[in-house]
Amino acid sequence: GWDRRPELAGNTNPDLIKALVKRCLGAGAEKVTVFDHTCDNWQKCYASSGIADAVKEAGGVIVPANDEQYYKEVSIPGGVTLKKAKIHEALLEADVWFNVPILKNHGGAKLSCAMKNMMGIVWDRRYFHQQDLQQCIADICTWEKKPALHIVDAYRMMFQNGPQGRSAADVATLKSLIVSPNIIAADTASLALFNQVEKLDMAAVTHITKGEALHLGSTDLKKINIKRIK
């Protein structure tokens, strides 16, 4: 999403992306595409983040997302505020897709994780910011074609000055991953991990509870089986 080097934790770790592309191809995928609707120049974002080289080395394909022509309108019938959105054609064409956010601080949404990362699949993000940002984030997560997994990169975590960050002083090294097929569980667990470094109350990250209200999952992690692997 940003023209930032990996050590500044503005983007998902390129080593994780490389490993995922290899896994998908190894599992029999005919083609693996990688994209984000970037905030900075898309080619610089992919290059500086190390993701362009990682994807190429793994045998995947980087696709642009910088033009409205790449997006097709879909309905979001489960949304409260967001009732339709233009979503990237790569997702519409894919048999399976994965949501692979980096865990970090965000000035507007407070937490940028699996739910917030869904803004990277849509064209018109201005609508989100002009309406109710937190509700729109929850709404887009109700889109019927859900990711097979949410794979949260918390190897390095930007705990302040997000979403871009200013320097390495904004970054903590956690060497962690959180993986779940459920987006609410993924973000709830990620918030708990975030709180080990910087305190952030669930009440500030209302898109999680709004998503729970839309029956996307439960914030009660005691209800699910959590496997911890070291």
Side-chain angles (χ1 to χ4, degrees):
W2 302 96
D3 182 7
R4 291 287 187 274
R5 302 186 311 278
E7 60 268 25
L8 296 180
N11 307 294
T12 305
N13 193 314
D15 291 336
L16 174 58
I17 299 299
K18 186 175 182 178
L20 282 170
V21 173
K22 284 184 174 180
R23 282 284 184 135
C24 291
L25 291 170
E30 182 180 306
K31 180 183 180 183
V32 181
T33 57
V34 178
F35 85 95
D36 186 18
H37 184 184
T38 63
C39 298
D40 292 331
N41 175 277
W42 73 276
Q43 289 161 314
K44 287 184 177 179
C45 288
Y46 289 145
S48 299
S49 66
I51 289 175
D53 287 342
V55 172
K56 184 178 179 181
E57 290 166 11
V61 179
I62 286 280
V63 294
N66 63 319
D67 194 296
E68 193 171 358
Q69 68 176 337
Y70 300 120
Y71 299 78
K72 302 289 186 293
E73 188 172 290
V74 302
S75 62
I76 314 290
V80 174
T81 300
L82 187 72
K83 292 294 186 181
K84 59 183 180 179
K86 287 188 175 181
I87 289 179
H88 198 286
E89 62 188 5
L91 291 187
L92 302 179
E93 295 168 0
D95 295 308
V96 178
W97 72 284
F98 301 99
N99 181 22
V100 195
I102 189 167
L103 172 60
K104 60 181 178 177
N105 165 251
H106 191 281
K110 305 309 175 189
L111 187 78
S112 185
C113 197
M115 295 182 73
K116 171 66 175 65
N117 203 48
M118 295 283 280
M119 286 180 71
I121 73 174
V122 303
W123 171 250
D124 187 8
R125 287 155 332 180
R126 188 175 299 173
Y127 180 86
F128 283 64
H129 289 283
Q130 289 176 341
Q131 303 301 317
D132 182 339
L133 175 63
Q134 301 275 11
Q135 185 63 59
C136 286
I137 291 172
D139 289 350
I140 192 62
C141 297
T142 67
W143 181 46
E144 61 180 0
K145 191 173 182 180
K146 294 184 170 48
L149 283 175
H150 304 279
I151 303 168
V152 180
D153 167 26
Y155 189 91
R156 302 182 188 91
M157 183 185 77
M158 184 192 300
F159 61 90
Q160 60 187 11
N161 296 319
Q164 296 186 63
R166 296 173 185 169
S167 71
D170 298 327
V171 180
T173 302
L174 303 178
K175 297 185 179 181
S176 299
L177 280 177
I178 291 176
V179 184
S180 177
N182 185 273
I183 200 165
I184 301 296
D187 274 16
T188 301
S190 296
L191 177 59
L193 189 61
F194 188 93
N195 272 312
Q196 293 181 16
V197 179
E198 186 78 8
K199 294 302 178 186
L200 180 61
D201 195 274
M202 175 74 82
V205 192
T206 57
H207 59 259
I208 298 179
T209 49
K210 287 178 186 292
E212 184 176 33
L214 291 172
H215 309 292
L216 292 171
S218 174
T219 56
D220 184 359
L221 297 182
K222 294 176 183 177
K223 291 182 178 179
I224 63 172
N225 177 35
I226 299 176
K227 186 175 182 180
R228 300 178 188 274
I229 305 169
K230 285 195 176 182

